[in-house]
Amino acid sequence: DYFLTLDEPMNNITTTLGQTAELHCKVSGNPPPTVRWLKNDAPVVQEPRRISFRATSYGSRLRIRNLDTTDTGYFQCVATNGRKTVSTTGVLFVKFGPPPTASPGSS
C-alpha cells in the first residue's frame, strides 16, 4: 500500500539570539519519504556546526544553533515518496534577548 501522511503540523518557535532551535517534520509513508527543507521558499543550506538537518524515525529534524535574527523566517518541510507530496510550514522568530545582567559583585 502506497501512502504518505503528515503526522503533525510543524511547530512555530519564538526564541532569542544565540539559542538553538529545532524544527520537526513528522511524516510517515510507504515507500519512506524523502524530506526537503525550505526557508522562505529557498532550500535550506546546511552550515557546518550551525545548521543541520537529518532523517529521523519520525521524518526529519532541522537544527539551527547560535541563532541570529536573520534566521527568522518561514520554514517548510516538503516530504515526497514518488507518489505523493505533503508539506507543513512553521515560523521561526528570533528576537533580541534581554540584555545580560551584570552579575552581583561585578561593580
Side-chain angles (χ1 to χ4, degrees):
D1 255 13
Y2 290 101
F3 75 97
L4 180 58
T5 309
L6 178 64
D7 296 321
E8 209 175 286
M10 198 186 304
N11 43 334
N12 292 334
I13 296 178
T14 298
T15 184
T16 50
L17 281 174
Q19 297 296 311
T20 296
E22 285 194 359
L23 293 159
H24 300 278
C25 186
K26 299 188 178 177
V27 292
S28 52
N30 183 42
T34 54
V35 174
R36 291 184 303 127
W37 286 93
L38 305 173
K39 176 191 173 187
N40 299 334
D41 296 324
V44 171
V45 179
Q46 303 204 58
E47 291 177 22
R49 292 181 296 283
R50 197 177 94 80
I51 299 175
S52 63
F53 46 84
R54 67 178 185 87
T56 60
S57 57
Y58 56 77
S60 182
R61 185 204 68 213
L62 172 65
R63 178 183 284 156
I64 306 175
R65 302 173 192 274
N66 192 17
L67 287 162
D68 193 298
T69 51
T70 56
D71 292 314
T72 293
Y74 290 91
F75 284 83
Q76 182 181 29
C77 86
V78 181
T80 180
N81 65 355
R83 293 287 180 110
K84 194 178 166 192
T85 299
V86 295
S87 69
T88 178
T89 302
V91 179
L92 173 62
F93 181 68
V94 182
K95 62 186 194 320
F96 291 101
T101 51
S103 52
S106 62
S107 53

